[in-house]
């Protein structure tokens, strides 16, 4: 029987070509299937997916809806649209939703699954690097509220996750880099050997410092997913240890929120990279004898991320940090990078973050 919180949050994704993966939703014997496809996928991809899904028609009713991907998929209006589609397609608790798209679409469809009829099962086929490495895994679903990132959400895991790295072939270079931010985060948190491998040879297309990043190998992707699964397994509801996954996100989310009203916007990964660089600077400011955090800055630099501290309005940023879920009054649980394989969770007064934001004191690491 299904649990009341969706599927297993530590469900291992299956890897393979989408044509081979796709029958997986049928294993759950739904009475009907409603697939939401990210409109960022190419026409060719969408047509092939639709044709494949329609092959199941004799066995069950299949509906395929192409919906806007990107952050807009996490708006309340997009949620309302999906709920209306669920109503019109007769989705009930024995039906299955399928999200095929980026992290935002997976978050949004996951939240639709969590809330429609108080929870219907769903499966995810993440199609961006960031979604394969992070967003599609672990069962957190969310919507944004105006400028605030993810204040509305539910823990509602997909029944199954399929990863076909060939989706990355159509991903714009900027989105690929964005995904590398979460890859680097995961390696720093839980796979020091992988981090060191990238330190020695940055994942740029040429193997040296470069603007273009390569797609990860399947092994790299699997190792990063493993880091997240291990953490989620220990703390599925983020009551404590899972918060290490927020490395770079305290400031990253605040930057995203601030920029949603001020163009131009950064991608999620770009904002998290600035947040991780800030976290590294803050770690060195707290303990100047530990230079390891500078290694995180250096790898982000080598991958072409912007690592300079934000120069925008510090007060506005900190007031957004204050409204973060991880904030308790004037202190925030801050994920502090200590060394590869180690992140400490430290209750940090906002005033201390302000000091680091203000000071340009921490030297930029030499290449
Ligand atoms: N639930 C979680 O645990 C978790 C973890 C990390 C991030 N997130 C969320 O994930 C979101 C970011 O996800 P993202 O980086 O995937 O961005 P995204 O979903 O916004 O996708 C980026 C762009 O790529 C397009 N796209 C999707 N697949 C494509 C493909 N194969 N080829 C070409 N274009 C494609 C999308 O339409 C969109 O325009 C944020 O909202 C973030 O909060 C959630
Ligand atoms: Zn993230």
């Amino acid at each position: 029987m299904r649990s009341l919180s969706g599927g297993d949050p530590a469900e291992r994704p299956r890897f393979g070509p989408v044509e081979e993966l796709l029958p997986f939703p049928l294993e759950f014997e739904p009475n009907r299937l409603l697939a939401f496809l990210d409109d960022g996928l190419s026409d060719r991809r969408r047509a092939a997916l639709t044709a494949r899904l329609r092959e199941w028609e004799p066995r069950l009713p299949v509906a395929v809806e192409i919906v806007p991907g990107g952050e807009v998929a996490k708006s309340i209006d997009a949620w309302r649209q999906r709920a209306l589609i669920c109503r019109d397609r007769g989705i009930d608790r024995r039906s299955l939703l399928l999200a095929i798209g980026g992290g935002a679409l997976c978050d949004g469809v996951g939240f639709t699954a969590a809330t429609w009829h108080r929870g219907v099962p769903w499966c995810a086929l993440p199609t961006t690097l960031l979604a394969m490495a992070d967003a599609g895994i672990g069962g957190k679903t969310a919507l944004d509220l105006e400028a605030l990132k993810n204040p509305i959400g539910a823990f509602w895991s997909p029944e199954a996750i399929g990863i076909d790295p060939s989706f990355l072939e159509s991903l714009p270079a900027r989105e690929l880099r964005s995904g590398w931010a979460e890859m680097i985060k995961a390696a720093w948190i839980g796979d020091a050997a992988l981090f060191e491998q990238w330190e020695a040879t940055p994942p740029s297309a040429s193997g040296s410092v470069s603007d273009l990043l390569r797609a990860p190998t399947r092994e790299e992707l699997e190792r990063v997913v493993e880091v997240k699964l291990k953490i989620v397994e220990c703390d599925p509801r983020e009551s404590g240890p899972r918060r290490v996954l927020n490395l770079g996100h305290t400031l990253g989310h605040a930057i995203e929120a601030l920029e949603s009203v001020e163009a131009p916007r950064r991608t999620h990964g770009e904002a998290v990279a600035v947040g991780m660089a800030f976290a590294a600077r803050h770690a060195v400011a707290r303990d100047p004898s530990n230079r390891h955090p500078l290694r995180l800055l250096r790898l982000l630099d080598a991958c072409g991320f912007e690592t300079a501290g934000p120069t925008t309005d510090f007060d506005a940023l900190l007031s957004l940090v204050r409204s973060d879920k991880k904030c308790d009054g004037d202190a925030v649980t801050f994920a502090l990078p200590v060394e590869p394989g180690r992140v400490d969770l430290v209750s940090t007064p906002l005033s201390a973050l302000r000091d680091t934001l203000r000071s340009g004191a921490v030297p930029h690491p030499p290449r």
Side-chain angles (χ1 to χ4, degrees), residues 276-298:
M276 283 196 284
F278 169 79
R281 288 199 179 85
H282 187 64
V284 176
R286 275 174 58 108
D287 177 8
S289 69
N290 176 18
R291 312 299 283 175
H292 287 295
L294 296 179
R295 295 167 61 188
L296 179 54
L297 261 173
R298 213 173 291 137

Side-chain angles (χ1 to χ4, degrees), residues 4 37-38 62 77 151 200 239 257 288 299 333 336-337 354 357 367:
L4 288 175
L37 265 58
D38 194 310
V62 174
D77 192 51
S239 52
L299 181 56
T333 305
L336 201 70
R354 179 192 301 272
L357 275 172
R367 282 250 161 88

Side-chain angles (χ1 to χ4, degrees), residues 15-30:
F15 283 78
V18 67
E19 299 73 24
E20 282 171 29
L21 284 172
L22 257 187
F24 73 86
L26 297 183
E27 288 167 22
F28 305 98
E29 300 184 344

Side-chain angles (χ1 to χ4, degrees), residues 224-240:
V224 156
V225 165
E226 208 50 43
V227 169
K228 181 152 184 190
L229 286 173
K230 274 208 188 97
I231 294 168
V232 167
E233 236 158 10
C234 307
D235 182 15
R237 290 283 173 139
E238 204 177 53
S239 52

Side-chain angles (χ1 to χ4, degrees), residues 89-112:
R89 299 291 186 175
I91 297 303
D92 64 27
R93 284 184 175 174
R94 287 165 306 137
S95 312
L96 190 85
L97 304 190
L98 173 62
I100 307 185
L105 189 87
C106 291
D107 269 10
V109 171
F111 188 73
T112 300

Side-chain angles (χ1 to χ4, degrees), residues 79-297:
W79 172 77
R80 180 174 170 276
Q81 294 299 335
R82 288 188 298 266
L84 290 171
I85 293 171
C86 287
R87 181 198 65 186
D88 295 346
R89 299 291 186 175
I91 297 303
D92 64 27
R93 284 184 175 174
R94 287 165 306 137
S95 312
L96 190 85
L97 304 190
L98 173 62
I100 307 185
L105 189 87
C106 291
D107 269 10
V109 171
F111 188 73
T112 300
T115 47
W116 184 251
H117 286 190
R118 297 200 182 87
V120 298
W122 70 295
C123 290
L125 248 173
T127 60
T128 61
L129 178 55
L130 193 136
M132 291 176 192
D134 195 356
I137 316 286
K140 283 211 262 177
T141 70
L143 299 183
D144 300 333
L145 179 66
E146 311 295 347
L148 288 182
K149 286 274 297 177
N150 307 329
I152 303 167
F155 290 98
W156 191 257
S157 302
E159 302 293 319
I161 303 148
I163 294 184
D164 177 356
S166 81
F167 276 106
L168 303 180
E169 288 161 14
S170 60
L171 206 59
R174 187 171 174 203
E175 295 296 342
L176 191 66
R177 183 193 320 282
S178 180
W180 272 101
E182 302 274 17
M183 299 275 294
I184 292 168
K185 179 197 82 172
W188 178 279
I189 292 171
D191 193 335
L194 189 59
F195 183 88
E196 279 159 12
Q197 190 179 304
W198 295 334
E199 252 184 330
T201 314
S204 56
S206 63
S208 63
V209 175
S210 146
D211 215 24
L212 275 183
L213 300 187
R214 61 171 170 80
T217 63
R218 174 162 162 178
E219 191 209 327
E220 288 172 329
L221 206 43
E222 281 176 331
R223 283 171 71 170
V224 156
V225 165
E226 208 50 43
V227 169
K228 181 152 184 190
L229 286 173
K230 274 208 188 97
I231 294 168
V232 167
E233 236 158 10
C234 307
D235 182 15
R237 290 283 173 139
E238 204 177 53
S239 52
R242 184 167 175 173
R243 292 181 172 196
V244 295
L245 292 169
N246 289 320
L247 175 62
H249 283 63
T250 300
L251 199 71
H253 279 160
I255 290 171
E256 283 182 278
L258 198 67
E259 288 184 351
S260 65
V261 280
E262 285 172 22
R265 282 189 53 125
R266 270 169 252 237
T267 64
H268 178 68
E270 287 166 354
V272 168
V274 176
M276 283 196 284
F278 169 79
R281 288 199 179 85
H282 187 64
V284 176
R286 275 174 58 108
D287 177 8
S289 69
N290 176 18
R291 312 299 283 175
H292 287 295
L294 296 179
R295 295 167 61 188
L296 179 54
L297 261 173

